[in-house]
Amino acid sequence: MQCKKCHAVLPEGSIFCCFCGKKQTTGKKPRAHKRATGTGTISKNPKCKKNPYIVRAPATSHGTGRVYIGSYPDMVSAQTALEAYMRNGRPALYNATLADVYKLWSEVHFTRVSQAAVNLYTAMWKRFHLIERMKMNEIKTAHFQQLITVCTSKSSAETVKAMAVMMCRWAMENDIVQKNYAEFVKLPKFEKKEKMIFTDDQIAELWRHSEDKRVQAVLVMIYMGFRIGELLMITPDRVNFAEGYITAGEKTEAGRERAVPFPPEIPEIAGFVRSWCSGVPDDTPLWNMTDGNFRSKVFYDTLDELGMVNIISRKGNVYKFSDHEHLTPHSTRHTFASLSSRSGMRPEELKKIIGHASYSVTADVYIHKDIAELRTAMTTLKKAE
């Protein structure tokens, strides 16, 4: 090689000329290899210290510009993200947030489940607020785990995990993520607590105020074992006064479309339902309100007035109670099971009426064949005095 200044012959690779001292190299770093047209771009923002490498997808043919994929700490991460994007080819969903995925997943899933399940998922979605704006492809097990650790009950923790697993599965089906990180979430151990039930004195107090329609609803739930969602689904055309039963049920296969007899020894229960049906169209719910409104305006407000719960504050349909353990709408169902068992109802009959799956398949016969037997079983229930 020759010196750039004095043109003296120098050894190959010399940095300085040994004759005139001229520096032979420019000191500039070689340019990075330019990506081929249509394969996206990776640029560096020198002002950003944490994630300086900006990744964008190729420009679209219809002129909507480049899709921003993300920012990354190093070139290797940026190239990996761009290659994954190009491989999956999902420009509309690759950048989707958890909130985007929830919206798209729920539009399909909610058509396959009961209204009670829809209400539950909608309520539980609020627990995802900490990560709902994160990109789905950036959410890991630890992010889902932090949602579980703040759950105060086993049921809420299980529901949050189930929702996360289903949303991740949907994201995998649509090439947004490659792995279902929610499946690795660990559920904490919760101490099993005995569910509170209505005492005989409390039930007698309800009867003393049974002219109140709200109290009637609580009594019907206590003496027929309905879940809150099942009561809200009852319409006049589901009530058979001639044979003395209501067709109701949700949630489980065993509980759907089951016949629940009126207790013959407590004719007031059928009387309450008959009064509700007066003037109501056949296909209109007898309690045309949401689950939340029923809980607050019918159940908790009534029990608060009767001194059975102590509400210390309320915000909309969210109440705070003085006692951590208190009566809930589901307490009526536990009370029904307790009263039935105490009165001598056979286990297989109780399971059939309450709508649980763990009874013999041979007991699952036609309504008109076994309604008489179930009605006889309900005669064991007596009115609290």
Side-chain angles (χ1 to χ4, degrees):
M1 61 179 289
Q2 289 184 324
C3 174
K4 293 182 178 181
K5 184 177 181 181
C6 67
H7 304 293
V9 178
L10 303 175
E12 198 65 39
S14 297
I15 298 176
F16 295 95
C17 177
C18 54
F19 298 101
C20 68
K22 173 67 177 176
K23 189 176 181 180
Q24 302 301 300
T25 59
T26 61
K28 293 182 180 179
K29 292 182 180 179
R31 285 189 174 185
H33 177 69
K34 185 178 180 181
R35 296 187 64 84
T37 302
T39 60
T41 60
I42 300 176
S43 58
K44 186 175 182 181
N45 180 4
K47 294 181 179 180
C48 181
K49 301 298 182 183
K50 187 177 180 180
N51 296 303
Y53 291 89
I54 314 299
V55 181
R56 289 184 173 83
T60 58
S61 58
H62 47 276
T64 58
R66 298 177 184 275
V67 174
Y68 169 76
I69 296 177
S71 302
Y72 301 88
D74 52 63
M75 178 61 78
V76 174
S77 300
Q79 289 176 333
T80 301
L82 182 54
E83 289 168 4
Y85 175 90
M86 296 301 295
R87 181 172 61 251
N88 295 330
R90 301 290 299 186
L93 293 177
Y94 187 85
N95 238 11
T97 63
L98 179 62
D100 296 328
V101 171
Y102 169 76
K103 181 178 183 298
L104 294 168
W105 163 77
S106 62
E107 286 175 353
V108 176
H109 188 70
F110 284 5
T111 63
R112 303 172 181 171
V113 297
S114 67
Q115 186 57 48
V118 171
N119 294 340
L120 175 62
Y121 291 141
T122 302
M124 284 297 167
W125 168 244
K126 297 175 183 177
R127 296 176 180 265
F128 289 82
H129 73 278
L130 292 174
I131 61 173
E132 64 177 333
R133 294 302 167 193
M134 289 183 65
K135 292 182 187 177
M136 191 70 194
N137 56 28
E138 294 178 355
I139 299 176
K140 308 301 181 197
T141 301
H143 297 108
F144 289 123
Q145 190 70 55
Q146 68 177 330
L147 306 180
I148 299 295
T149 55
V150 298
C151 290
T152 57
S153 68
K154 180 180 179 181
S155 60
S156 61
E158 289 176 340
T159 304
V160 168
K161 179 177 179 178
M163 285 182 66
V165 168
M166 287 188 286
M167 287 189 287
C168 284
R169 189 175 298 136
W170 186 94
M172 289 180 67
E173 292 170 355
N174 289 275
D175 297 324
I176 301 173
V177 298
Q178 305 301 314
K179 190 174 183 179
N180 193 330
Y181 286 99
E183 290 182 339
F184 303 101
V185 167
K186 304 298 183 185
L187 293 176
K189 290 185 178 180
F190 290 94
E191 181 182 349
K192 188 174 182 180
K193 298 178 181 177
E194 196 69 27
K195 191 77 173 179
M196 286 191 69
I197 64 173
F198 287 81
T199 65
D200 290 345
D201 288 342
Q202 289 172 328
I203 296 174
E205 180 68 11
L206 289 170
W207 277 114
R208 282 191 284 273
H209 295 83
S210 60
E211 72 285 350
D212 187 328
K213 185 180 177 181
R214 300 172 304 168
V215 174
Q216 294 174 6
V218 178
L219 287 169
V220 168
M221 293 172 73
I222 286 175
Y223 285 103
M224 298 191 74
F226 289 133
R227 299 179 178 91
I228 187 171
E230 294 171 340
L231 183 75
L232 298 182
M233 291 171 60
I234 298 175
T235 55
D237 56 8
R238 285 175 167 264
V239 184
N240 188 328
F241 289 110
E243 296 192 43
Y245 67 89
I246 297 175
T247 302
E250 57 166 6
K251 193 173 181 180
T252 65
E253 198 64 39
R256 293 191 186 103
E257 298 302 309
R258 70 185 190 277
V260 182
F262 291 113
E265 298 298 312
I266 315 174
E268 294 91 338
I269 297 299
F272 296 154
V273 178
R274 188 182 296 275
S275 67
W276 301 349
C277 291
S278 178
V280 178
D282 283 349
D283 57 352
T284 301
L286 299 179
W287 290 88
N288 201 4
M289 58 174 56
T290 64
D291 182 302
N293 280 337
F294 185 91
R295 286 175 182 274
S296 59
K297 306 303 180 186
V298 176
F299 188 85
Y300 285 126
D301 278 0
T302 303
L303 265 57
D304 186 41
E305 292 172 14
L306 297 178
M308 296 182 191
V309 295
N310 186 14
I311 300 171
I312 56 177
S313 69
R314 65 186 72 191
K315 185 177 181 181
N317 288 340
V318 179
Y319 289 12
K320 286 188 178 180
F321 302 86
S322 59
D323 299 322
H324 179 66
E325 294 296 320
H326 57 83
L327 292 167
T328 69
H330 209 64
S331 295
T332 60
R333 192 165 159 84
H334 284 263
T335 303
F336 171 77
S338 178
L339 291 174
S340 301
S341 177
R342 191 173 69 188
S343 65
M345 187 183 294
R346 292 187 300 171
E348 61 269 25
E349 295 168 340
L350 173 58
K351 291 171 185 175
K352 181 78 171 179
I353 291 170
I354 210 166
H356 283 165
S358 54
Y359 60 86
S360 173
V361 175
T362 57
D364 190 14
V365 293
Y366 295 107
I367 286 177
H368 286 87
K369 182 177 180 180
D370 66 22
I371 189 64
E373 182 181 356
L374 296 179
R375 191 187 304 114
T376 300
M378 290 288 268
T379 62
T380 60
L381 292 175
K382 307 296 181 183
K383 179 180 175 182
E385 302 293 344

